[in-house]
Amino acid sequence: MQTVTLYLDYLCPFAWRGLELIHVVAPQLGLELELRHYSLEQGNHPENQGLLQSAPVWKLAEQPLEGPKSLRAFLASHAARQQGKAAHLRFALELFRLRHQDRRPLGDDQTFVEAVARAGLDLERFMADLEDEENRRLELARDLEQAGELGVFGTPTFVLPSGDAAYFRFSELTTEPELAVPLWELFTAVLHNGAHIETIKRPRK
Amino acid sequence: MQTVTLYLDYLCPFAWRGLELIHVVAPQLGLELELRHYSLEQGNHPENQGLLQSAPVWKLAEQPLEGPKSLRAFLASHAARQQGKAAHLRFALELFRLRHQDRRPLGDDQTFVEAVARAGLDLERFMADLEDEENRRLELARDLEQAGELGVFGTPTFVLPSGDAAYFRFSELTTEPELAVPLWELFTAVLHNGAHIETIKRPRK
């Protein structure tokens, strides 16, 4: 089975749409999905300006829990990952929907508990894994390092089975398979075209 | 006939590839091509940092001739435009090729004279129009204002007959019609897709 890796940040509504897209497309095209994390707060932090994404000085995984808005969501995501890839994907989808559809606060325990319930995860195990903060921080640090090595600068960024990778931003949620599959195929056609397309980007006024 | 507008800067090798592409594609698809100018030196100028593209304080068209690298090429481009759209397109293609294929200096009279010769323009008229610097500067200022209003931030930027616009960067010159037409159709399919794709961009390490 071929694997698509998706870098996401729960803060980002475009990452939410990207995850909904690949969630619909993956079973249709026989793709396995691997979720990884990239942090917009780290990538855009003033102390990291002008530095390579692979060499930040301000690191999210080392910050206090009360600080950055995204840290607890990333740690919760890693806690969910302990219950397997499929559970992790369901949790990520539900956490994104709670944040970007239902406008719930991202870092609250109550939001996590609801995502766990909707996704059908084991709550007791989830809470124990979330409390094992040191290991969750180590896992997050590894994810963010890998994103940095790849040069990820925004979410969603997809890495295709071919190794081609790109940030993919679209504003209309697309979850009907008859629209989602062609949208995904358009994206992959851009990345696989022989002209080596590097960027397509609309101007913003 | 439907019109595609292309914003270009002679400094930019991606704009060169973009022009070569649409030059091949336009007759195949019955498109008319309109060339406009966007200035990277103006857009990226330190004095314009943080300002809207539509409200620069450092304006290329007001700079001395000896200053910015691209100014004389833009004025020459406007001089060529006096001989009609087709002549302008041929001149632009030849000036791009001289700069990016033959590595000739961009702002030299000698380079302009050679572009005029290769493109089959009237040299005497071209020189007279180039010497009418005040009008060429006014035309350039208008082009750069229009680019600013559109939010153009790089070249090549194409405006499609639908009104959709995007920066389109690819690194492999694509001029064989059987590759160029599908590449163009891929680009337009991205801009016309119902998901409203805003950006596809590869990370750079």
Side-chain angles (χ1 to χ4, degrees):
Chain A
M1 212 176 205
Q2 294 202 296
T3 299
V4 168
T5 304
L6 165 56
Y7 284 87
L8 55 79
D9 184 329
Y10 292 97
L11 291 175
C12 179
F14 299 99
W16 166 49
R17 293 186 198 101
L19 180 59
E20 294 277 8
L21 177 71
I22 191 66
H23 170 63
V24 170
V25 167
Q28 302 268 335
L29 300 185
L31 296 167
E32 188 164 7
L33 181 56
E34 169 99 20
L35 300 185
R36 294 268 165 92
H37 304 101
Y38 167 79
S39 164
L40 294 164
E41 286 185 294
Q42 178 174 308
N44 300 326
H45 197 277
E47 291 182 36
N48 295 335
Q49 287 307 298
L51 301 178
L52 288 173
Q53 292 278 6
S54 54
V57 295
W58 189 95
K59 296 178 181 180
L60 181 72
E62 296 171 359
Q63 301 305 313
L65 275 187
E66 313 73 45
K69 276 184 271 184
S70 58
L71 178 56
R72 288 204 81 226
F74 282 128
L75 298 177
S77 187
H78 280 285
R81 183 142 81 177
Q82 310 308 310
Q83 297 187 37
K85 261 188 197 173
H88 186 209
L89 171 60
R90 293 198 309 275
F91 175 83
L93 269 173
E94 296 300 344
L95 185 54
F96 267 117
R97 289 169 182 169
L98 282 162
R99 174 70 194 88
H100 296 284
Q101 264 178 347
D102 306 343
R103 305 285 167 193
R104 300 280 284 277
L106 183 58
D108 283 21
D109 272 345
Q110 212 182 333
T111 309
F112 297 156
V113 167
E114 184 140 350
V116 161
R118 291 193 191 178
L121 270 62
D122 178 331
L123 179 61
E124 202 172 336
R125 188 174 157 196
F126 171 84
M127 293 310 280
D129 285 327
L130 185 56
E131 275 165 34
D132 181 8
E133 194 182 311
E134 195 180 326
N135 279 312
R136 300 297 84 78
R137 283 180 180 265
L138 286 173
E139 291 161 1
L140 176 60
R142 259 201 307 273
D143 262 26
L144 299 185
E145 275 167 31
Q146 287 187 333
E149 282 161 23
L150 200 69
V152 175
F153 60 88
T155 65
T157 289
F158 291 97
V159 186
L160 304 184
S162 61
D164 290 284
Y167 173 64
F168 185 26
R169 176 179 171 130
F170 56 94
S171 55
E172 293 297 325
L173 186 63
T174 305
T175 55
E176 289 154 48
E178 62 272 29
L179 296 175
V181 171
L183 176 58
W184 178 256
E185 286 174 340
L186 188 55
F187 173 65
T188 60
V190 166
L191 294 192
H192 293 153
N193 187 279
H196 195 75
I197 297 169
E198 295 176 10
T199 310
I200 296 176
K201 184 175 179 180
R202 291 182 199 262
R204 275 183 270 176
K205 287 172 201 179
Chain B
M1 210 176 206
Q2 294 202 294
T3 299
V4 168
T5 304
L6 166 56
Y7 284 87
L8 54 79
D9 184 330
Y10 292 97
L11 291 174
C12 178
F14 299 98
W16 165 49
R17 293 186 198 101
L19 179 59
E20 294 276 8
L21 176 73
I22 191 66
H23 170 62
V24 170
V25 167
Q28 304 266 337
L29 300 185
L31 297 167
E32 190 164 5
L33 182 56
E34 169 100 21
L35 301 184
R36 294 268 164 94
H37 303 101
Y38 167 79
S39 164
L40 295 164
E41 286 184 294
Q42 178 175 307
N44 300 326
H45 197 278
E47 291 181 35
N48 294 335
Q49 287 306 299
L51 302 178
L52 288 174
Q53 291 280 4
S54 54
V57 294
W58 189 96
K59 296 179 181 179
L60 181 72
E62 296 171 359
Q63 301 305 313
L65 276 187
E66 313 72 44
K69 277 185 269 185
S70 58
L71 178 55
R72 289 204 80 225
F74 282 127
L75 298 177
S77 187
H78 280 285
R81 184 142 81 176
Q82 310 308 311
Q83 298 187 36
K85 261 188 195 173
H88 187 208
L89 172 58
R90 293 198 308 276
F91 176 83
L93 268 173
E94 296 300 344
L95 185 54
F96 266 118
R97 289 168 182 169
L98 282 162
R99 174 69 195 91
H100 296 284
Q101 262 177 350
D102 305 345
R103 303 285 167 194
R104 301 278 285 277
L106 182 58
D108 283 21
D109 273 345
Q110 213 183 333
T111 308
F112 296 156
V113 168
E114 185 142 348
V116 162
R118 290 193 191 179
L121 269 63
D122 179 331
L123 180 60
E124 204 172 333
R125 189 174 158 197
F126 172 83
M127 293 310 279
D129 286 327
L130 186 56
E131 275 165 34
D132 181 8
E133 195 181 311
E134 197 180 325
N135 278 311
R136 300 299 81 78
R137 282 180 182 266
L138 286 173
E139 291 160 2
L140 176 61
R142 261 200 306 273
D143 262 27
L144 299 186
E145 275 166 30
Q146 287 188 333
E149 282 160 22
L150 200 70
V152 175
F153 60 88
T155 66
T157 289
F158 292 96
V159 186
L160 304 184
S162 60
D164 290 285
Y167 173 64
F168 185 27
R169 176 179 170 131
F170 57 93
S171 55
E172 293 294 325
L173 186 64
T174 305
T175 55
E176 288 154 49
E178 61 273 27
L179 296 175
V181 171
L183 176 58
W184 178 256
E185 286 174 340
L186 187 56
F187 173 66
T188 59
V190 166
L191 293 193
H192 293 153
N193 187 280
H196 194 75
I197 297 170
E198 296 177 8
T199 310
I200 297 176
K201 184 174 179 179
R202 291 182 198 262
R204 276 183 270 176
K205 286 173 200 178

